[in-house]
Amino acid sequence: MARKKNEVLEQPENAPVKKPRKVVSGPIRDKEKTKRRLVATVGKVLQKYTYSGLTITNIAKESGLNPKLIYLYFGSLDGLIEQYILEKDFWSAKSKTQLTELLENPEKLGAAETNEVFQVQFDSFLKDKSIQRIIHWEMGMKSKLLRKVADDREEVGDHLLKYLDPKFEDTDVDIRATLAIILGGIYYLTLHAKNNGSTVSGIDINEDEGRERIEKTIERLILRDFEDAENQKKKRAAKKK
């Protein structure tokens, strides 16, 4: 007997159920996640081996990914390293907030604010091993990429210095030279302390006592220059009366 036209055909009791197609997850399907993992691994390898250890083998080993993915997504090892360096933020979140606020309100930029910026950078540099490695790398190797990174960092700092310059006009105080010596000292002291644990002038900034001595000296140098410039301007103004 023929079935009715609209009657639903019943499935056999033991008929196999068709399973939904499984979505395969992997490096190719998850491109952005894989790229981020490779970029992050550059930082890990840099901290672990220094820049001489930035090899395809080490990056593949640390990331657990196929080394071919480096070529697929970045073209070369240099392309991957470039991506990491360009993304690396040399200014801590707190420093960036400070700089943004100061650049928006330059009239608030004084000795205390300038000191705070450099104190935060000192603290950040002490704690961030990957930035230490890159600064060390810049000092020991001539590279267009590393030069660009250094120039970009200088450009950010120069915005701040341009607002400081008028405060020292018509005085013999060179605030840029003072801050350059402070920043260079921060780099030198930190690299010595963190790379081989050595002291400079008997001061160990790996210890709280040594670090506090440097912090106090940074503050004293900055405050001294601001006060010196202000006193010179007051004396000049008094002579004109």
Side-chain angles (χ1 to χ4, degrees):
M1 182 176 178
R3 294 180 182 271
K4 294 181 180 179
K5 186 176 182 180
N6 295 327
E7 184 177 349
V8 178
L9 296 175
E10 294 182 354
Q11 293 288 339
E13 186 176 347
N14 297 324
V17 179
K18 189 175 182 181
K19 295 182 180 180
R21 184 178 179 182
K22 185 177 180 181
V23 177
V24 179
S25 177
I28 301 300
R29 289 183 175 273
D30 206 355
K31 178 179 178 180
E32 286 307 313
K33 184 177 180 181
T34 302
K35 288 176 68 175
R36 300 264 46 85
R37 185 170 169 182
L38 287 168
V39 170
T41 302
V42 173
K44 294 178 182 178
V45 172
L46 192 59
Q47 292 182 41
K48 188 174 182 179
Y49 301 102
T50 76
Y51 53 84
S52 62
L54 286 174
T55 64
I56 293 286
T57 300
N58 284 339
I59 292 173
K61 179 181 177 180
E62 291 293 325
S63 67
L65 296 170
N66 191 316
K68 293 181 180 179
L69 293 171
I70 295 173
Y71 297 97
L72 177 64
Y73 295 143
F74 300 97
S76 65
L77 174 61
D78 287 344
L80 172 59
I81 295 172
E82 178 177 356
Q83 185 65 33
Y84 170 79
I85 292 177
L86 292 178
E87 289 184 11
K88 188 62 184 172
D89 196 347
F90 284 82
W91 296 92
S92 67
K94 186 174 181 180
S95 290
K96 287 172 67 177
T97 300
Q98 286 178 316
L99 290 171
T100 299
E101 292 176 351
L102 290 173
L103 292 176
E104 290 176 350
N105 303 282
E107 69 281 357
K108 295 182 179 180
L109 181 57
E113 291 74 22
T114 303
N115 173 60
E116 180 65 14
V117 169
F118 279 80
Q119 296 288 354
V120 170
Q121 280 305 104
F122 181 34
D123 183 64
S124 299
F125 193 54
L126 276 171
K127 294 176 179 177
D128 196 326
K129 197 169 184 179
S130 60
I131 292 182
Q132 294 168 21
R133 297 299 195 196
I134 293 175
I135 293 294
H136 189 209
W137 194 2
E138 287 179 10
M139 293 176 176
M141 182 179 293
K142 188 174 183 180
S143 161
K144 289 182 179 180
L145 173 60
L146 295 175
R147 173 60 188 271
K148 182 181 184 303
V149 171
D151 288 346
D152 288 346
R153 188 169 61 248
E154 276 292 298
E155 185 177 353
V156 173
D158 194 54
H159 289 310
L160 183 67
L161 292 171
K162 285 179 179 177
Y163 288 112
L164 278 179
D165 288 337
K167 299 179 183 295
F168 297 87
E169 286 179 353
D170 301 321
T171 75
D172 62 7
V173 178
D174 191 342
I175 189 63
R176 285 180 178 251
T178 297
L179 297 180
I181 290 172
I182 290 173
L183 187 59
I186 287 173
Y187 288 165
Y188 185 81
L189 287 166
T190 302
L191 292 177
H192 261 280
K194 297 303 179 181
N195 283 343
N196 55 29
S198 63
T199 63
V200 177
S201 297
I203 298 175
D204 184 1
I205 62 172
N206 285 314
E207 301 294 332
D208 290 343
E209 187 269 340
R211 186 175 64 255
E212 288 170 4
R213 288 176 67 181
I214 299 302
E215 290 170 347
K216 289 178 180 178
T217 300
I218 290 173
E219 181 179 23
R220 189 179 75 251
L221 290 173
I222 292 174
L223 294 182
R224 181 203 63 187
D225 273 11
F226 272 83
E227 290 174 0
D228 193 4
E230 185 63 25
N231 288 335
Q232 289 184 35
K233 288 185 176 183
K234 286 180 179 179
K235 288 181 181 180
R236 188 173 290 107
K239 287 180 180 180
K240 291 180 179 180
K241 291 182 179 181

